[in-house]
Amino acid sequence: MKNLIPGRARRLIALAAVLLLAACSAGGGTRGEVARFDFGPLPAAAPAAKLARPLLVMDVAVPAALDSADLRYRLAYQDGARPMAYANTRWAMPVSQLVTQRLRERLAAAGTIVSPSDGVRAPYSLRVELEEFAQVFDAPERSRAVLRARVTLVGNRTLVVQRTFALERAAASPDADGGVRALSSLTDEWIGQLLEWTRSEEHTSELQSRE
């Protein structure tokens, strides 16, 4: 039997399915219930890289659009410039706080860190500006997590180095649950790369200061 559903109708049905997933979200079985997620337990393996000197870790800065607990997504195949948020799935706290907490936890396992509230100085300070943190749908049935952050390492009130990290990870499922899991894993992957980079730049800066 021939397929009686035209191509355009099939695309509209697929789009409706994605929007329904966004409205229902992962775990939001009952209308009005909101499922809240964090990044889960810390990775079991200890970080391979170790911080050589104490590090002041500033709060992660985010643009106004990211300054909430929304789980954001984009439909790149339709209108990628329009960020949207799942109705019944949210992070356990605003994204800036959630990423700051994870960053400090992971870095603390690699050496001595301090926060601005501690009121003490450190040889180096780390500043992170989170530019993108969302689930991007390239098709109704295919999505990926996207993280982009500009990181600045400062020593003795002088810029040491700056780098923009841009990472992606495919989501296991095209829904809120897939987005949460992919963004959580991607955050840990990024922090691992950031730690290696910070340790290397600290070492380079120390060698240059001795010349």
Side-chain angles (χ1 to χ4, degrees), residues 62-99:
V62 299
L66 274 177
D67 195 17
S68 74
D70 289 344
L71 175 57
R72 300 183 351 135
Y73 67 94
R74 298 177 185 270
L75 302 180
Y77 62 91
Q78 183 182 32
D79 187 0
R82 180 187 175 191
M84 292 178 278
Y86 286 98
N88 293 338
T89 303
R90 295 171 65 83
W91 295 111
M93 61 185 75
V95 168
S96 59
Q97 296 178 28
L98 194 64
V99 176

PDB file of all heavy atoms in Angstrom, residues 62-99:
ATOM      1  N   VAL A  62      26.923  34.636  33.264  1.00  0.00           N
ATOM      2  CA  VAL A  62      26.075  34.210  32.148  1.00  0.00           C
ATOM      3  C   VAL A  62      25.327  35.416  31.600  1.00  0.00           C
ATOM      4  O   VAL A  62      25.081  36.387  32.321  1.00  0.00           O
ATOM      5  CB  VAL A  62      25.059  33.125  32.581  1.00  0.00           C
ATOM      6  CG1 VAL A  62      25.760  31.877  33.081  1.00  0.00           C
ATOM      7  CG2 VAL A  62      24.104  33.668  33.640  1.00  0.00           C
ATOM      8  N   PRO A  63      24.938  35.390  30.332  1.00  0.00           N
ATOM      9  CA  PRO A  63      24.090  36.456  29.793  1.00  0.00           C
ATOM     10  C   PRO A  63      22.713  36.382  30.437  1.00  0.00           C
ATOM     11  O   PRO A  63      22.322  35.356  31.017  1.00  0.00           O
ATOM     12  CB  PRO A  63      24.030  36.143  28.295  1.00  0.00           C
ATOM     13  CG  PRO A  63      24.362  34.691  28.188  1.00  0.00           C
ATOM     14  CD  PRO A  63      25.303  34.392  29.305  1.00  0.00           C
ATOM     15  N   ALA A  64      21.963  37.451  30.321  1.00  0.00           N
ATOM     16  CA  ALA A  64      20.649  37.518  30.971  1.00  0.00           C
ATOM     17  C   ALA A  64      19.736  36.366  30.547  1.00  0.00           C
ATOM     18  O   ALA A  64      18.970  35.833  31.345  1.00  0.00           O
ATOM     19  CB  ALA A  64      19.990  38.861  30.652  1.00  0.00           C
ATOM     20  N   ALA A  65      19.824  35.962  29.284  1.00  0.00           N
ATOM     21  CA  ALA A  65      18.951  34.893  28.778  1.00  0.00           C
ATOM     22  C   ALA A  65      19.221  33.557  29.448  1.00  0.00           C
ATOM     23  O   ALA A  65      18.350  32.681  29.472  1.00  0.00           O
ATOM     24  CB  ALA A  65      19.126  34.754  27.266  1.00  0.00           C
ATOM     25  N   LEU A  66      20.429  33.372  29.999  1.00  0.00           N
ATOM     26  CA  LEU A  66      20.779  32.119  30.667  1.00  0.00           C
ATOM     27  C   LEU A  66      20.628  32.190  32.176  1.00  0.00           C
ATOM     28  O   LEU A  66      20.833  31.186  32.866  1.00  0.00           O
ATOM     29  CB  LEU A  66      22.227  31.738  30.342  1.00  0.00           C
ATOM     30  CG  LEU A  66      22.489  30.947  29.063  1.00  0.00           C
ATOM     31  CD1 LEU A  66      23.994  30.743  28.884  1.00  0.00           C
ATOM     32  CD2 LEU A  66      21.788  29.609  29.106  1.00  0.00           C
ATOM     33  N   ASP A  67      20.289  33.352  32.696  1.00  0.00           N
ATOM     34  CA  ASP A  67      20.259  33.562  34.138  1.00  0.00           C
ATOM     35  C   ASP A  67      18.955  33.053  34.741  1.00  0.00           C
ATOM     36  O   ASP A  67      18.156  33.814  35.302  1.00  0.00           O
ATOM     37  CB  ASP A  67      20.461  35.040  34.453  1.00  0.00           C
ATOM     38  CG  ASP A  67      20.791  35.278  35.919  1.00  0.00           C
ATOM     39  OD1 ASP A  67      21.177  34.295  36.590  1.00  0.00           O
ATOM     40  OD2 ASP A  67      20.662  36.418  36.388  1.00  0.00           O
ATOM     41  N   SER A  68      18.711  31.761  34.610  1.00  0.00           N
ATOM     42  CA  SER A  68      17.509  31.135  35.155  1.00  0.00           C
ATOM     43  C   SER A  68      17.751  29.642  35.270  1.00  0.00           C
ATOM     44  O   SER A  68      18.810  29.145  34.889  1.00  0.00           O
ATOM     45  CB  SER A  68      16.300  31.406  34.247  1.00  0.00           C
ATOM     46  OG  SER A  68      16.373  30.623  33.070  1.00  0.00           O
ATOM     47  N   ALA A  69      16.764  28.920  35.778  1.00  0.00           N
ATOM     48  CA  ALA A  69      16.858  27.466  35.896  1.00  0.00           C
ATOM     49  C   ALA A  69      16.233  26.759  34.690  1.00  0.00           C
ATOM     50  O   ALA A  69      16.068  25.534  34.701  1.00  0.00           O
ATOM     51  CB  ALA A  69      16.186  26.999  37.185  1.00  0.00           C
ATOM     52  N   ASP A  70      15.899  27.500  33.656  1.00  0.00           N
ATOM     53  CA  ASP A  70      15.274  26.900  32.465  1.00  0.00           C
ATOM     54  C   ASP A  70      16.211  25.898  31.796  1.00  0.00           C
ATOM     55  O   ASP A  70      17.414  26.136  31.688  1.00  0.00           O
ATOM     56  CB  ASP A  70      14.908  27.976  31.440  1.00  0.00           C
ATOM     57  CG  ASP A  70      13.743  28.839  31.892  1.00  0.00           C
ATOM     58  OD1 ASP A  70      13.027  28.434  32.829  1.00  0.00           O
ATOM     59  OD2 ASP A  70      13.551  29.921  31.298  1.00  0.00           O
ATOM     60  N   LEU A  71      15.636  24.800  31.314  1.00  0.00           N
ATOM     61  CA  LEU A  71      16.354  23.876  30.434  1.00  0.00           C
ATOM     62  C   LEU A  71      16.044  24.335  29.013  1.00  0.00           C
ATOM     63  O   LEU A  71      14.943  24.141  28.512  1.00  0.00           O
ATOM     64  CB  LEU A  71      15.896  22.438  30.668  1.00  0.00           C
ATOM     65  CG  LEU A  71      16.482  21.377  29.725  1.00  0.00           C
ATOM     66  CD1 LEU A  71      18.005  21.388  29.773  1.00  0.00           C
ATOM     67  CD2 LEU A  71      15.942  19.997  30.074  1.00  0.00           C
ATOM     68  N   ARG A  72      17.022  24.948  28.377  1.00  0.00           N
ATOM     69  CA  ARG A  72      16.792  25.583  27.080  1.00  0.00           C
ATOM     70  C   ARG A  72      17.070  24.637  25.925  1.00  0.00           C
ATOM     71  O   ARG A  72      17.916  23.760  26.011  1.00  0.00           O
ATOM     72  CB  ARG A  72      17.679  26.823  26.940  1.00  0.00           C
ATOM     73  CG  ARG A  72      17.413  27.871  27.994  1.00  0.00           C
ATOM     74  CD  ARG A  72      18.227  29.134  27.846  1.00  0.00           C
ATOM     75  NE  ARG A  72      19.287  29.114  26.866  1.00  0.00           N
ATOM     76  CZ  ARG A  72      19.528  30.100  25.998  1.00  0.00           C
ATOM     77  NH1 ARG A  72      18.743  31.173  25.985  1.00  0.00           N
ATOM     78  NH2 ARG A  72      20.547  30.045  25.167  1.00  0.00           N
ATOM     79  N   TYR A  73      16.350  24.868  24.828  1.00  0.00           N
ATOM     80  CA  TYR A  73      16.597  24.117  23.600  1.00  0.00           C
ATOM     81  C   TYR A  73      16.349  25.024  22.400  1.00  0.00           C
ATOM     82  O   TYR A  73      15.704  26.071  22.502  1.00  0.00           O
ATOM     83  CB  TYR A  73      15.722  22.856  23.525  1.00  0.00           C
ATOM     84  CG  TYR A  73      14.228  23.114  23.391  1.00  0.00           C
ATOM     85  CD1 TYR A  73      13.622  23.142  22.131  1.00  0.00           C
ATOM     86  CD2 TYR A  73      13.429  23.316  24.510  1.00  0.00           C
ATOM     87  CE1 TYR A  73      12.262  23.367  21.993  1.00  0.00           C
ATOM     88  CE2 TYR A  73      12.068  23.543  24.385  1.00  0.00           C
ATOM     89  CZ  TYR A  73      11.494  23.564  23.128  1.00  0.00           C
ATOM     90  OH  TYR A  73      10.137  23.806  23.005  1.00  0.00           O
ATOM     91  N   ARG A  74      16.887  24.603  21.249  1.00  0.00           N
ATOM     92  CA  ARG A  74      16.693  25.317  19.990  1.00  0.00           C
ATOM     93  C   ARG A  74      16.308  24.329  18.900  1.00  0.00           C
ATOM     94  O   ARG A  74      16.851  23.221  18.855  1.00  0.00           O
ATOM     95  CB  ARG A  74      17.972  26.055  19.565  1.00  0.00           C
ATOM     96  CG  ARG A  74      18.450  27.139  20.516  1.00  0.00           C
ATOM     97  CD  ARG A  74      19.760  27.739  20.025  1.00  0.00           C
ATOM     98  NE  ARG A  74      20.320  28.710  20.953  1.00  0.00           N
ATOM     99  CZ  ARG A  74      20.045  30.014  20.933  1.00  0.00           C
ATOM    100  NH1 ARG A  74      19.220  30.491  20.003  1.00  0.00           N
ATOM    101  NH2 ARG A  74      20.591  30.839  21.809  1.00  0.00           N
ATOM    102  N   LEU A  75      15.409  24.724  18.038  1.00  0.00           N
ATOM    103  CA  LEU A  75      15.054  23.925  16.871  1.00  0.00           C
ATOM    104  C   LEU A  75      15.847  24.469  15.687  1.00  0.00           C
ATOM    105  O   LEU A  75      15.379  25.331  14.948  1.00  0.00           O
ATOM    106  CB  LEU A  75      13.548  23.990  16.606  1.00  0.00           C
ATOM    107  CG  LEU A  75      12.634  23.525  17.753  1.00  0.00           C
ATOM    108  CD1 LEU A  75      11.171  23.639  17.348  1.00  0.00           C
ATOM    109  CD2 LEU A  75      12.967  22.106  18.180  1.00  0.00           C
ATOM    110  N   ALA A  76      17.078  23.968  15.514  1.00  0.00           N
ATOM    111  CA  ALA A  76      17.974  24.498  14.489  1.00  0.00           C
ATOM    112  C   ALA A  76      17.423  24.287  13.088  1.00  0.00           C
ATOM    113  O   ALA A  76      17.689  25.084  12.183  1.00  0.00           O
ATOM    114  CB  ALA A  76      19.347  23.841  14.613  1.00  0.00           C
ATOM    115  N   TYR A  77      16.645  23.240  12.882  1.00  0.00           N
ATOM    116  CA  TYR A  77      16.105  22.944  11.553  1.00  0.00           C
ATOM    117  C   TYR A  77      14.913  23.843  11.211  1.00  0.00           C
ATOM    118  O   TYR A  77      14.456  23.871  10.062  1.00  0.00           O
ATOM    119  CB  TYR A  77      15.658  21.471  11.488  1.00  0.00           C
ATOM    120  CG  TYR A  77      14.562  21.108  12.461  1.00  0.00           C
ATOM    121  CD1 TYR A  77      13.231  21.210  12.106  1.00  0.00           C
ATOM    122  CD2 TYR A  77      14.865  20.662  13.735  1.00  0.00           C
ATOM    123  CE1 TYR A  77      12.224  20.888  13.002  1.00  0.00           C
ATOM    124  CE2 TYR A  77      13.876  20.322  14.632  1.00  0.00           C
ATOM    125  CZ  TYR A  77      12.556  20.432  14.262  1.00  0.00           C
ATOM    126  OH  TYR A  77      11.560  20.115  15.162  1.00  0.00           O
ATOM    127  N   GLN A  78      14.440  24.607  12.200  1.00  0.00           N
ATOM    128  CA  GLN A  78      13.291  25.476  11.952  1.00  0.00           C
ATOM    129  C   GLN A  78      13.647  26.952  12.166  1.00  0.00           C
ATOM    130  O   GLN A  78      13.518  27.764  11.262  1.00  0.00           O
ATOM    131  CB  GLN A  78      12.130  25.085  12.873  1.00  0.00           C
ATOM    132  CG  GLN A  78      10.860  25.881  12.627  1.00  0.00           C
ATOM    133  CD  GLN A  78       9.762  25.494  13.600  1.00  0.00           C
ATOM    134  OE1 GLN A  78      10.029  25.141  14.738  1.00  0.00           O
ATOM    135  NE2 GLN A  78       8.529  25.545  13.142  1.00  0.00           N
ATOM    136  N   ASP A  79      14.120  27.271  13.373  1.00  0.00           N
ATOM    137  CA  ASP A  79      14.507  28.645  13.695  1.00  0.00           C
ATOM    138  C   ASP A  79      15.528  28.596  14.821  1.00  0.00           C
ATOM    139  O   ASP A  79      15.189  28.736  15.995  1.00  0.00           O
ATOM    140  CB  ASP A  79      13.283  29.470  14.107  1.00  0.00           C
ATOM    141  CG  ASP A  79      13.616  30.948  14.295  1.00  0.00           C
ATOM    142  OD1 ASP A  79      14.799  31.306  14.110  1.00  0.00           O
ATOM    143  OD2 ASP A  79      12.717  31.731  14.625  1.00  0.00           O
ATOM    144  N   GLY A  80      16.792  28.384  14.459  1.00  0.00           N
ATOM    145  CA  GLY A  80      17.838  28.215  15.450  1.00  0.00           C
ATOM    146  C   GLY A  80      18.138  29.446  16.270  1.00  0.00           C
ATOM    147  O   GLY A  80      18.773  29.356  17.323  1.00  0.00           O
ATOM    148  N   ALA A  81      17.683  30.614  15.821  1.00  0.00           N
ATOM    149  CA  ALA A  81      17.942  31.854  16.547  1.00  0.00           C
ATOM    150  C   ALA A  81      16.941  32.090  17.671  1.00  0.00           C
ATOM    151  O   ALA A  81      17.055  33.073  18.402  1.00  0.00           O
ATOM    152  CB  ALA A  81      17.907  33.043  15.582  1.00  0.00           C
ATOM    153  N   ARG A  82      15.982  31.184  17.805  1.00  0.00           N
ATOM    154  CA  ARG A  82      14.939  31.366  18.813  1.00  0.00           C
ATOM    155  C   ARG A  82      15.109  30.354  19.946  1.00  0.00           C
ATOM    156  O   ARG A  82      14.768  29.190  19.804  1.00  0.00           O
ATOM    157  CB  ARG A  82      13.564  31.188  18.183  1.00  0.00           C
ATOM    158  CG  ARG A  82      12.411  31.367  19.161  1.00  0.00           C
ATOM    159  CD  ARG A  82      11.095  31.022  18.509  1.00  0.00           C
ATOM    160  NE  ARG A  82       9.990  31.081  19.455  1.00  0.00           N
ATOM    161  CZ  ARG A  82       8.767  30.628  19.215  1.00  0.00           C
ATOM    162  NH1 ARG A  82       8.495  30.085  18.030  1.00  0.00           N
ATOM    163  NH2 ARG A  82       7.826  30.708  20.129  1.00  0.00           N
ATOM    164  N   PRO A  83      15.643  30.776  21.105  1.00  0.00           N
ATOM    165  CA  PRO A  83      15.771  29.851  22.234  1.00  0.00           C
ATOM    166  C   PRO A  83      14.411  29.611  22.883  1.00  0.00           C
ATOM    167  O   PRO A  83      13.593  30.517  23.001  1.00  0.00           O
ATOM    168  CB  PRO A  83      16.722  30.580  23.190  1.00  0.00           C
ATOM    169  CG  PRO A  83      16.506  32.022  22.888  1.00  0.00           C
ATOM    170  CD  PRO A  83      16.187  32.106  21.418  1.00  0.00           C
ATOM    171  N   MET A  84      14.191  28.375  23.296  1.00  0.00           N
ATOM    172  CA  MET A  84      12.947  28.004  23.978  1.00  0.00           C
ATOM    173  C   MET A  84      13.280  27.223  25.237  1.00  0.00           C
ATOM    174  O   MET A  84      14.441  26.857  25.455  1.00  0.00           O
ATOM    175  CB  MET A  84      12.055  27.197  23.039  1.00  0.00           C
ATOM    176  CG  MET A  84      11.504  28.022  21.875  1.00  0.00           C
ATOM    177  SD  MET A  84      10.491  27.061  20.725  1.00  0.00           S
ATOM    178  CE  MET A  84      11.768  26.325  19.716  1.00  0.00           C
ATOM    179  N   ALA A  85      12.287  26.971  26.068  1.00  0.00           N
ATOM    180  CA  ALA A  85      12.519  26.262  27.324  1.00  0.00           C
ATOM    181  C   ALA A  85      11.441  25.207  27.536  1.00  0.00           C
ATOM    182  O   ALA A  85      10.269  25.416  27.190  1.00  0.00           O
ATOM    183  CB  ALA A  85      12.531  27.236  28.503  1.00  0.00           C
ATOM    184  N   TYR A  86      11.842  24.074  28.081  1.00  0.00           N
ATOM    185  CA  TYR A  86      10.882  23.028  28.419  1.00  0.00           C
ATOM    186  C   TYR A  86       9.941  23.532  29.512  1.00  0.00           C
ATOM    187  O   TYR A  86      10.361  24.238  30.432  1.00  0.00           O
ATOM    188  CB  TYR A  86      11.607  21.777  28.903  1.00  0.00           C
ATOM    189  CG  TYR A  86      12.285  20.991  27.815  1.00  0.00           C
ATOM    190  CD1 TYR A  86      13.645  21.136  27.568  1.00  0.00           C
ATOM    191  CD2 TYR A  86      11.566  20.090  27.040  1.00  0.00           C
ATOM    192  CE1 TYR A  86      14.272  20.404  26.568  1.00  0.00           C
ATOM    193  CE2 TYR A  86      12.184  19.352  26.032  1.00  0.00           C
ATOM    194  CZ  TYR A  86      13.538  19.525  25.805  1.00  0.00           C
ATOM    195  OH  TYR A  86      14.157  18.801  24.819  1.00  0.00           O
ATOM    196  N   ALA A  87       8.677  23.146  29.411  1.00  0.00           N
ATOM    197  CA  ALA A  87       7.673  23.636  30.357  1.00  0.00           C
ATOM    198  C   ALA A  87       7.779  22.979  31.718  1.00  0.00           C
ATOM    199  O   ALA A  87       7.666  23.645  32.755  1.00  0.00           O
ATOM    200  CB  ALA A  87       6.268  23.419  29.780  1.00  0.00           C
ATOM    201  N   ASN A  88       8.003  21.663  31.753  1.00  0.00           N
ATOM    202  CA  ASN A  88       7.926  20.925  33.014  1.00  0.00           C
ATOM    203  C   ASN A  88       9.245  20.308  33.446  1.00  0.00           C
ATOM    204  O   ASN A  88       9.265  19.425  34.304  1.00  0.00           O
ATOM    205  CB  ASN A  88       6.864  19.815  32.907  1.00  0.00           C
ATOM    206  CG  ASN A  88       5.460  20.391  32.784  1.00  0.00           C
ATOM    207  OD1 ASN A  88       5.213  21.527  33.172  1.00  0.00           O
ATOM    208  ND2 ASN A  88       4.552  19.621  32.226  1.00  0.00           N
ATOM    209  N   THR A  89      10.348  20.754  32.857  1.00  0.00           N
ATOM    210  CA  THR A  89      11.664  20.275  33.262  1.00  0.00           C
ATOM    211  C   THR A  89      12.575  21.472  33.467  1.00  0.00           C
ATOM    212  O   THR A  89      12.704  22.320  32.582  1.00  0.00           O
ATOM    213  CB  THR A  89      12.272  19.339  32.200  1.00  0.00           C
ATOM    214  OG1 THR A  89      11.380  18.250  31.966  1.00  0.00           O
ATOM    215  CG2 THR A  89      13.610  18.782  32.682  1.00  0.00           C
ATOM    216  N   ARG A  90      13.204  21.547  34.635  1.00  0.00           N
ATOM    217  CA  ARG A  90      14.068  22.663  34.967  1.00  0.00           C
ATOM    218  C   ARG A  90      15.301  22.146  35.711  1.00  0.00           C
ATOM    219  O   ARG A  90      15.305  21.031  36.245  1.00  0.00           O
ATOM    220  CB  ARG A  90      13.327  23.690  35.841  1.00  0.00           C
ATOM    221  CG  ARG A  90      12.171  24.361  35.113  1.00  0.00           C
ATOM    222  CD  ARG A  90      11.321  25.202  36.059  1.00  0.00           C
ATOM    223  NE  ARG A  90      12.044  26.339  36.624  1.00  0.00           N
ATOM    224  CZ  ARG A  90      12.205  27.492  36.017  1.00  0.00           C
ATOM    225  NH1 ARG A  90      11.704  27.667  34.791  1.00  0.00           N
ATOM    226  NH2 ARG A  90      12.843  28.478  36.594  1.00  0.00           N
ATOM    227  N   TRP A  91      16.329  22.973  35.736  1.00  0.00           N
ATOM    228  CA  TRP A  91      17.485  22.669  36.566  1.00  0.00           C
ATOM    229  C   TRP A  91      17.148  22.941  38.028  1.00  0.00           C
ATOM    230  O   TRP A  91      16.217  23.708  38.321  1.00  0.00           O
ATOM    231  CB  TRP A  91      18.683  23.506  36.140  1.00  0.00           C
ATOM    232  CG  TRP A  91      19.177  23.203  34.760  1.00  0.00           C
ATOM    233  CD1 TRP A  91      19.100  24.011  33.663  1.00  0.00           C
ATOM    234  CD2 TRP A  91      19.832  22.011  34.325  1.00  0.00           C
ATOM    235  NE1 TRP A  91      19.649  23.399  32.570  1.00  0.00           N
ATOM    236  CE2 TRP A  91      20.115  22.163  32.938  1.00  0.00           C
ATOM    237  CE3 TRP A  91      20.216  20.820  34.952  1.00  0.00           C
ATOM    238  CZ2 TRP A  91      20.761  21.184  32.197  1.00  0.00           C
ATOM    239  CZ3 TRP A  91      20.852  19.837  34.207  1.00  0.00           C
ATOM    240  CH2 TRP A  91      21.118  20.025  32.854  1.00  0.00           C
ATOM    241  N   ALA A  92      17.901  22.351  38.934  1.00  0.00           N
ATOM    242  CA  ALA A  92      17.623  22.488  40.359  1.00  0.00           C
ATOM    243  C   ALA A  92      17.924  23.888  40.879  1.00  0.00           C
ATOM    244  O   ALA A  92      17.437  24.285  41.942  1.00  0.00           O
ATOM    245  CB  ALA A  92      18.426  21.455  41.151  1.00  0.00           C
ATOM    246  N   MET A  93      18.725  24.637  40.136  1.00  0.00           N
ATOM    247  CA  MET A  93      19.064  26.012  40.497  1.00  0.00           C
ATOM    248  C   MET A  93      19.426  26.744  39.211  1.00  0.00           C
ATOM    249  O   MET A  93      19.574  26.106  38.171  1.00  0.00           O
ATOM    250  CB  MET A  93      20.223  26.038  41.507  1.00  0.00           C
ATOM    251  CG  MET A  93      21.507  25.424  40.995  1.00  0.00           C
ATOM    252  SD  MET A  93      22.829  25.331  42.265  1.00  0.00           S
ATOM    253  CE  MET A  93      22.220  23.963  43.266  1.00  0.00           C
ATOM    254  N   PRO A  94      19.554  28.073  39.231  1.00  0.00           N
ATOM    255  CA  PRO A  94      19.954  28.784  38.011  1.00  0.00           C
ATOM    256  C   PRO A  94      21.230  28.210  37.428  1.00  0.00           C
ATOM    257  O   PRO A  94      22.121  27.752  38.159  1.00  0.00           O
ATOM    258  CB  PRO A  94      20.146  30.222  38.504  1.00  0.00           C
ATOM    259  CG  PRO A  94      19.194  30.349  39.656  1.00  0.00           C
ATOM    260  CD  PRO A  94      19.232  29.011  40.335  1.00  0.00           C
ATOM    261  N   VAL A  95      21.333  28.241  36.107  1.00  0.00           N
ATOM    262  CA  VAL A  95      22.460  27.632  35.402  1.00  0.00           C
ATOM    263  C   VAL A  95      23.799  28.165  35.910  1.00  0.00           C
ATOM    264  O   VAL A  95      24.754  27.401  36.095  1.00  0.00           O
ATOM    265  CB  VAL A  95      22.327  27.865  33.885  1.00  0.00           C
ATOM    266  CG1 VAL A  95      23.610  27.506  33.159  1.00  0.00           C
ATOM    267  CG2 VAL A  95      21.158  27.049  33.332  1.00  0.00           C
ATOM    268  N   SER A  96      23.885  29.462  36.157  1.00  0.00           N
ATOM    269  CA  SER A  96      25.150  30.035  36.630  1.00  0.00           C
ATOM    270  C   SER A  96      25.584  29.407  37.946  1.00  0.00           C
ATOM    271  O   SER A  96      26.762  29.081  38.142  1.00  0.00           O
ATOM    272  CB  SER A  96      25.023  31.552  36.788  1.00  0.00           C
ATOM    273  OG  SER A  96      23.999  31.877  37.717  1.00  0.00           O
ATOM    274  N   GLN A  97      24.654  29.213  38.864  1.00  0.00           N
ATOM    275  CA  GLN A  97      24.968  28.618  40.165  1.00  0.00           C
ATOM    276  C   GLN A  97      25.307  27.142  40.022  1.00  0.00           C
ATOM    277  O   GLN A  97      26.219  26.632  40.687  1.00  0.00           O
ATOM    278  CB  GLN A  97      23.794  28.799  41.126  1.00  0.00           C
ATOM    279  CG  GLN A  97      23.488  30.238  41.473  1.00  0.00           C
ATOM    280  CD  GLN A  97      22.286  30.361  42.401  1.00  0.00           C
ATOM    281  OE1 GLN A  97      21.989  29.462  43.184  1.00  0.00           O
ATOM    282  NE2 GLN A  97      21.576  31.478  42.311  1.00  0.00           N
ATOM    283  N   LEU A  98      24.574  26.447  39.173  1.00  0.00           N
ATOM    284  CA  LEU A  98      24.792  25.018  38.996  1.00  0.00           C
ATOM    285  C   LEU A  98      26.175  24.738  38.412  1.00  0.00           C
ATOM    286  O   LEU A  98      26.909  23.856  38.890  1.00  0.00           O
ATOM    287  CB  LEU A  98      23.711  24.449  38.079  1.00  0.00           C
ATOM    288  CG  LEU A  98      23.560  22.926  38.016  1.00  0.00           C
ATOM    289  CD1 LEU A  98      23.136  22.374  39.369  1.00  0.00           C
ATOM    290  CD2 LEU A  98      22.543  22.539  36.947  1.00  0.00           C
ATOM    291  N   VAL A  99      26.550  25.509  37.396  1.00  0.00           N
ATOM    292  CA  VAL A  99      27.866  25.317  36.763  1.00  0.00           C
ATOM    293  C   VAL A  99      28.983  25.764  37.706  1.00  0.00           C
ATOM    294  O   VAL A  99      30.035  25.115  37.792  1.00  0.00           O
ATOM    295  CB  VAL A  99      27.933  26.059  35.415  1.00  0.00           C
ATOM    296  CG1 VAL A  99      29.332  25.937  34.805  1.00  0.00           C
ATOM    297  CG2 VAL A  99      26.899  25.500  34.448  1.00  0.00           C
TER     298      VAL A  99
END
